Amino acid sequence: MDLNFTAEEQAFRERIRAWVGGHLPKDISHKVHHALDLSRDDLQRWARILGKEGWHGYAWPQQFGGPGWTAVQRHLFEEECALAGAPRIVPFGPVMVAPVIMAFGSKAQQERHLPGIMSGDVWWSQGYSEPGSGSDLASLKCKAERRGNTFVVNGQKTWTTLGQYGEWIFCLVRTSNEGKPQTGISFLLIDMKSPGVTVRPIVLLDCSVEVNEVWFDNVEVPAENLVGEENKGWTYAKYLLAHERAGIGEVNRAKRELERLKRIAKVEGLYDDVRFRDQIALLEVDIVALEMLILRVVSADRGSKNEGGKQSLDVAGLLKIRGSEIQQRYTELMMLAGGPYSTPFIKEAMEAGWQGDQALGGAWPGGAAHCAPLTATYFNYRKTTIYGGSNEVQRNIVSQTVLGS
Ligand SMILES: Cc1cc2nc3c(=O)[nH]c(=O)nc-3n(C[C@H](O)[C@H](O)[C@H](O)COP(=O)(O)OP(=O)(O)OC[C@H]3O[C@@H](n4cnc5c(N)ncnc54)[C@H](O)[C@@H]3O)c2cc1C
């Protein structure tokens, strides 16, 4: 196994770096580098810039309008974007539903949906989880009843990330109660503008709205929006989850945030504390180890063009576990580096251009502006070991696959 990049791969990296340097809007990268709030407009602006280049679906094969990059090229692209301060691509369209539509959707579905996903124009949401059906996803109850050429959908989804912006949602729905729960699930594409769809925000501790409830009340969905075969949705759902979990590893973002942690620790004086520096060093070792694991996976996949970034569920689970734990550690260390200056919470401090002390007429109890978002980010990142399938459940999957049971 050769973990070094070839001359062509290095040249590819340079090309991407130059392109990102010339196209990533400065106001967006400023927000990313300082952990400030990104608006819908920020996220979609970047998606559309990538889309124009044919890179919003950067892992797609050429057959479907993607660049057809190898696993190594995809990795380099992700790294250059993350280090430059590009926002994470909102995955629901290009990373999750698109590969399912490519693999299992009809030609008509591919022609209808893939162009809008690639261009970044159409915002997708993920409708898997329900109250009581998260880890035990197969127990889901949201029902789709076939009436002629229509499915009538009734039920609820929850934790729908950024669902307040969603134009389309891909949903797992119950179409049969016969046999095992997994065998009665179907995969439906639902237009969120359909009558009977209601999105209710779940307001989080930091006052942000990142997740939602989505309700379906007699929503009529054309049968042509069924992906693949009725009652085979569980197979497609698992295919999608392998894409989702592989992406959650986020080692490149961790590399960028490690440097931010060091900068904050230096300004706050904690970098001189040997015990604190030990924590940073341990984190760095784990980030390098995760990177090596990813490079091993990428290296084994060298030359493969058409996998669309998919890993097997066990490897994806491993990357998800380590990556999410690392994300939690760097947010914790940043908060500790800020010490008491991290604790005051002012929502406006998450907005770009906030002037801290001046805005409060000299009453800002925090230190440097970089301290303002640290605690909110720390709390927000407790989500990483839960979403995409909780880490406890990932450990079960990895151990069953690797050790057998
Ligand atoms: C911020 C955020 C965003 C999300 N976005 C989306 C989204 O866009 N779309 C979507 O469909 N879903 C989304 N989810 C839902 C997410 O997938 C679920 O929260 C997750 O699968 C866990 O399910 P649950 O919340 O029902 O917890 P539960 O399944 O009730 O689990 C509760 C606890 O029990 C543990 N546990 C459960 N079963 C086992 C087991 N067999 N062995 C060991 N421990 C176990 C879990 O690890 C957890 O600690 C999101 C969640 C969060 C937090």
Side-chain angles (χ1 to χ4, degrees):
M1 183 185 350
D2 183 1
L3 296 184
N4 292 312
F5 296 115
T6 64
E8 292 79 41
E9 287 162 353
Q10 292 289 9
F12 176 84
R13 180 198 283 284
E14 293 305 323
R15 180 163 77 87
I16 298 296
R17 183 173 297 171
W19 186 89
V20 175
H23 289 80
L24 175 61
K26 298 280 174 287
D27 60 314
I28 295 182
S29 61
H30 170 83
K31 288 184 181 180
V32 171
H33 280 306
H34 295 87
L36 300 173
D37 281 343
L38 290 159
S39 64
R40 176 197 173 132
D41 174 66
D42 295 329
L43 295 169
Q44 204 158 22
R45 213 163 9 124
W46 178 234
R48 285 184 167 136
I49 292 169
L50 289 173
K52 260 200 187 141
E53 200 70 19
W55 291 353
H56 190 222
Y58 67 93
W60 296 12
Q62 280 172 322
Q63 176 195 354
F64 292 107
W69 287 337
T70 62
V72 175
Q73 289 172 321
R74 296 195 296 262
H75 173 77
L76 293 173
F77 174 78
E78 288 165 6
E79 180 164 85
E80 288 306 318
C81 287
L83 296 182
R88 184 173 174 229
I89 289 177
V90 178
F92 308 112
V95 180
M96 294 190 197
V97 76
V100 172
I101 293 175
M102 289 176 208
F104 307 106
S106 65
K107 189 142 185 24
Q109 287 168 346
Q110 291 167 355
E111 285 172 2
R112 173 160 189 202
H113 295 294
L114 295 180
I117 297 177
M118 175 59 97
S119 68
D121 287 330
V122 181
W123 193 295
W124 282 78
S125 295
Q126 178 185 27
Y128 272 26
S129 307
E130 298 177 11
S133 301
S135 304
D136 183 16
L137 188 58
S139 69
L140 63 89
K141 295 185 185 63
C142 183
K143 190 168 147 196
E145 226 177 319
R146 181 107 190 205
R147 291 189 202 151
N149 280 337
T150 306
F151 284 99
V152 179
V153 181
N154 279 290
Q156 183 197 351
K157 296 291 171 184
T158 193
W159 304 124
T160 316
T161 299
L162 302 179
Q164 69 269 38
Y165 306 141
E167 291 160 304
W168 281 78
I169 184 166
F170 55 91
C171 283
L172 293 180
V173 289
R174 179 145 308 282
T175 37
S176 166
N177 288 309
E178 303 291 316
K180 281 171 43 182
Q182 288 85 344
T183 56
I185 292 172
S186 298
F187 195 106
L188 266 191
L189 311 177
I190 303 179
D191 183 343
M192 290 182 79
K193 293 182 291 306
S194 311
V197 177
T198 308
V199 179
R200 292 191 191 139
I202 300 173
V203 180
L204 302 180
L205 262 182
D206 63 1
C207 311
S208 67
V209 177
E210 185 175 321
V211 282
N212 300 266
E213 297 176 336
V214 181
W215 294 80
F216 301 91
D217 181 12
N218 283 318
V219 176
E220 294 190 9
V221 180
E224 67 199 31
N225 290 6
L226 173 75
V227 173
E229 289 177 51
E230 198 169 324
N231 297 326
K232 290 276 169 63
W234 190 249
T235 308
Y236 316 143
K238 285 195 297 184
Y239 182 84
L240 182 148
L241 284 175
H243 284 80
E244 177 179 11
R245 288 173 194 156
I248 292 173
E250 296 266 22
V251 72
N252 299 314
R253 194 149 63 120
K255 283 166 73 175
R256 183 187 72 218
E257 294 302 301
L258 176 70
E259 294 313 310
R260 187 159 77 95
L261 166 62
K262 289 179 187 171
R263 283 199 302 276
I264 293 173
K266 280 176 189 163
V267 174
E268 297 301 325
L270 263 280
Y271 205 71
D272 299 328
D273 179 310
V274 173
R275 294 218 167 106
F276 196 79
R277 230 176 32 235
D278 270 355
Q279 294 299 314
I280 298 181
L282 284 172
L283 175 67
E284 185 153 7
V285 168
D286 282 343
I287 291 176
V288 172
L290 178 64
E291 187 177 23
M292 287 303 121
L293 174 64
I294 288 174
L295 287 177
R296 275 174 57 191
V297 173
V298 164
S299 171
D301 208 14
R302 227 180 195 128
S304 133
K305 291 197 170 194
N306 294 328
E307 279 299 297
K310 177 180 174 291
Q311 311 292 348
S312 64
L313 269 177
D314 53 329
V315 173
L318 266 180
L319 301 180
K320 198 265 160 168
I321 293 167
R322 291 307 280 161
S324 57
E325 289 173 351
I326 283 171
Q327 288 170 43
Q328 294 194 337
R329 276 166 64 199
Y330 64 67
T331 57
E332 182 172 358
L333 287 175
M334 282 182 202
M335 184 179 65
L336 292 175
Y341 293 137
S342 304
T343 48
F345 174 67
I346 297 176
K347 173 125 185 68
E348 294 72 30
M350 304 291 280
E351 311 273 336
W354 183 71
Q355 294 299 316
D357 202 35
Q358 289 168 30
L360 289 177
W364 164 239
H370 62 229
C371 290
L374 298 183
T375 301
T377 309
Y378 165 81
F379 280 120
N380 185 281
Y381 271 56
R382 299 311 95 189
K383 69 190 174 186
T384 65
T385 47
I386 302 171
Y387 64 28
S390 77
N391 282 21
E392 291 79 12
V393 171
Q394 297 313 306
R395 286 193 163 86
N396 288 347
I397 294 173
V398 172
S399 61
Q400 276 161 16
T401 322
V402 177
L403 305 174
S405 66

